[in-house]
Amino acid sequence: VICHPKYQESKRIAIFLSMPDEIQTEEIIKDIFKQGKECFIPRYKPHSNHMDMLKLSSAEDLSSLTLTSWNILQPSDDDSTREEALAGGGLDLIFMPGLGFDKKGNRVGRGKGYYDTYLERCMKHPSGKPYTIALAFTEQICESVPVAENDVQVDEILYEGC
């Protein structure tokens, strides 16, 4: 990930905070700050498919986040001090989680459509759609995964041995 050309050239990066069954992202987050890039993380709105990408001020800022009912760290609902990526300069790159992927770039998430809806919003931003990279375990790569009309394909899937 750290050596990937898209990562190297990106300045504004959104990345998920890992659940135990996902690729762990903490070291990537530390490197984003080490390289002087801007880091944005998801804040999911419960009972909807709305998600914002909010700016982290440092890797240590992770300790100020609250745990959701899904066991995911995110900025609290009343935290209005953080920049939302689309209210500013947009994003260059989004690292995406998922449960399953196929080699055509289709992805199965957890069923709420948060990333698909967010990417639709990105396409309306002046900076356009950011490059998307899914982070996966080899076991998550399938021959094909079910897709719906509003599913947005990822640009690239990184997994061991790809």
Side-chain angles (χ1 to χ4, degrees):
V1 171
I2 308 282
C3 298
H4 194 286
K6 288 288 184 186
Y7 175 77
Q8 287 295 321
E9 70 189 37
S10 293
K11 300 286 180 234
R12 294 170 58 91
I13 300 170
I15 188 164
F16 60 97
L17 300 181
S18 321
M19 294 176 70
D21 62 347
E22 295 173 331
I23 297 289
Q24 297 301 294
T25 58
E26 192 173 334
E27 293 304 315
I28 301 168
I29 292 167
K30 287 177 184 173
D31 190 75
I32 290 170
F33 287 106
K34 189 173 129 196
Q35 292 202 34
K37 301 171 184 291
E38 294 177 88
C39 183
F40 295 83
I41 58 167
R43 179 170 66 189
Y44 307 93
K45 285 219 165 69
H47 315 297
S48 77
N49 63 357
H50 185 86
M51 173 178 77
D52 289 316
M53 290 292 183
L54 301 181
K55 189 173 183 178
L56 270 184
S57 58
S58 67
E60 295 71 35
D61 191 13
L62 289 170
S63 65
S64 73
L65 304 176
T66 55
L67 207 55
T68 68
S69 58
W70 296 329
N71 249 1
I72 300 173
L73 286 172
Q74 70 175 27
S76 64
D77 290 339
D78 60 359
D79 185 342
S80 59
T81 60
R82 297 175 188 274
E83 175 193 342
E84 203 294 316
L86 297 181
L91 290 165
D92 303 317
L93 173 63
I94 299 179
F95 286 109
M96 296 174 61
L99 297 177
F101 307 91
D102 66 27
K103 291 184 179 174
K104 295 183 213 104
N106 295 311
R107 138 187 195 283
V108 173
R110 297 188 185 266
K112 299 281 188 193
Y114 287 110
Y115 279 89
D116 297 314
T117 304
Y118 192 77
L119 287 168
E120 292 292 332
R121 287 172 50 210
C122 288
M123 290 178 210
K124 295 176 179 132
H125 189 273
S127 66
K129 180 186 168 291
Y131 194 79
T132 54
I133 297 177
L135 301 177
F137 296 107
T138 306
E139 297 80 8
Q140 292 176 287
I141 308 303
C142 307
E143 194 60 43
S144 69
V145 296
V147 291
E149 196 176 296
N150 59 334
D151 288 345
V152 180
Q153 289 182 315
V154 294
D155 295 310
E156 192 172 344
I157 303 162
L158 289 185
Y159 57 95
E160 190 175 47
C162 68

